[in-house]
């Protein structure tokens, strides 16, 4: 485990931001997609990134969508070897999972222990702003940000806005509208998730 803030990766880095369970469930309730659909979309998106030269997938390890992304990244790490696909678990602070349920806490720790690398951004217990500091860490070190987001205010929205300000490519998966939206500087493209799932 390290809290080195000067990590360098030879190949491209993808970071992730997304909702915790309550917001994720609210988002899914406004459409027809399930958590399993989101998992399939994320996996396909990550496989596409592997073909584009990405080999590092960074997760902020929050309960909810972050852990889904981390689990898929770990599956790819095991399938393709860490040279080609690796999970980097980015933990905001010490004891970040202190108030979680036991099942989620064990799951997060298992993922972190199996990750290619685990980074602790702030070597202290929780403080106001430590989650934003973790989110900035993710964006500052990535080439592309993937987000599960439907417009709800909070940390995911702030992370997307920070990434746009840093001119990162942002791919938004919006389950409520069943759209995948790609943003990079001055252009925006979108396609329906059904088109994406069933494209040959």
């Amino acid at each position: 485990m390290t809290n080195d803030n000067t990590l360098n990766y030879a190949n491209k880095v993808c970071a992730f931001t997304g909702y915790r369970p309550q917001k994720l469930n609210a988002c899914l309730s406004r459409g027809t997609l399930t958590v399993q659909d989101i998992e399939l979309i994320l996996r396909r998106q990550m496989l596409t990134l592997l073909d584009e030269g990405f080999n590092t997938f960074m997760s902020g390890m929050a309960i909810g969508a972050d852990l889904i992304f981390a689990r898929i990244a770990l599956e790819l790490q095991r399938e393709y070897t860490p040279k080609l696909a690796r999970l980097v678990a980015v933990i905001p602070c010490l004891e970040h999972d202190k108030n979680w349920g036991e099942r989620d806490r064990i799951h997060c720790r298992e993922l972190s222990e199996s990750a290619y690398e685990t980074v602790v951004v702030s070597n202290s217990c929780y403080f106001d702003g430590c989650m934003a500091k973790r989110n900035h860490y993710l964006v500052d070190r990535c080439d592309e940000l993937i987000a599960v987001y439907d417009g709800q205010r909070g940390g995911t929205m702030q992370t997307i806005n920070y990434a746009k300000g840093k001119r990162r490519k942002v791919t938004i998966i919006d389950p409520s509208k069943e759209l995948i939206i790609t943003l990079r500087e001055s252009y925006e493209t979108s396609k329906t998730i059904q088109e994406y799932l069933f494209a040959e």
Side-chain angles (χ1 to χ4, degrees):
M1 187 175 290
T2 177
N3 66 351
D4 179 6
N5 288 341
T6 59
L7 296 175
N8 290 305
Y9 299 105
N11 295 316
K12 295 180 183 178
V13 178
C14 170
F16 177 82
T17 186
Y19 292 138
R20 298 193 182 201
Q22 184 175 357
K23 284 188 175 181
L24 181 60
N25 290 337
C27 175
L28 291 172
S29 72
R30 288 189 278 273
T32 62
L33 300 179
T34 65
V35 170
Q36 290 72 30
D37 292 324
I38 300 303
E39 292 174 355
L40 177 58
I41 294 162
L42 285 174
R43 181 178 175 86
R44 286 196 181 184
Q45 194 72 25
M46 293 157 79
L47 287 171
T48 298
L49 291 175
L50 289 178
D51 289 339
E52 295 176 0
F54 285 76
N55 75 332
T56 301
F57 298 95
M58 303 177 74
S59 171
M61 305 305 287
I63 188 173
D66 278 11
L67 293 188
I68 294 173
F69 180 86
R71 177 175 55 77
I72 297 168
L74 183 59
E75 291 171 358
L76 294 176
Q77 177 178 300
R78 289 169 172 162
E79 290 175 32
Y80 290 90
T81 78
K83 182 177 180 181
L84 298 178
R86 60 185 64 161
L87 166 64
V88 175
V90 181
I91 293 173
C93 61
L94 302 177
E95 298 184 349
H96 78 295
D97 58 358
K98 181 179 179 180
N99 297 320
W100 294 9
E102 183 178 5
R103 181 177 179 182
D104 290 321
R105 188 165 57 248
I106 290 171
H107 182 45
C108 180
R109 291 182 180 179
E110 287 175 345
L111 290 170
S112 298
E113 289 168 2
S114 299
Y116 176 82
E117 188 163 19
T118 298
V119 177
V120 179
V121 177
S122 298
N123 195 28
S124 63
C125 293
Y126 177 86
F127 59 91
D128 286 344
C130 74
M131 299 300 175
K133 186 174 180 181
R134 183 270 317 276
N135 295 340
H136 289 182
Y137 182 99
L138 291 167
V139 171
D140 289 342
R141 287 157 181 80
C142 80
D143 299 283
E144 177 168 350
L145 180 72
I146 294 179
V148 173
Y149 174 70
D150 70 341
Q152 297 179 68
R153 293 181 177 275
T156 299
M157 180 185 73
Q158 292 165 7
T159 304
I160 291 169
N161 288 337
Y162 183 73
K164 289 164 66 176
K166 290 285 185 175
R167 296 183 178 274
R168 299 296 191 264
K169 180 180 178 182
V170 180
T171 296
I172 296 172
I173 299 165
D174 182 347
S176 68
K177 296 184 179 68
E178 301 196 11
L179 287 175
I180 297 175
I181 304 163
T182 300
L183 311 171
R184 180 156 45 189
E185 297 184 19
S186 62
Y187 79 81
E188 176 177 325
T189 62
S190 65
K191 54 190 168 186
T192 70
I193 285 174
Q194 294 301 322
E195 289 171 343
Y196 183 76
L197 286 176
F198 296 106
E200 295 184 3

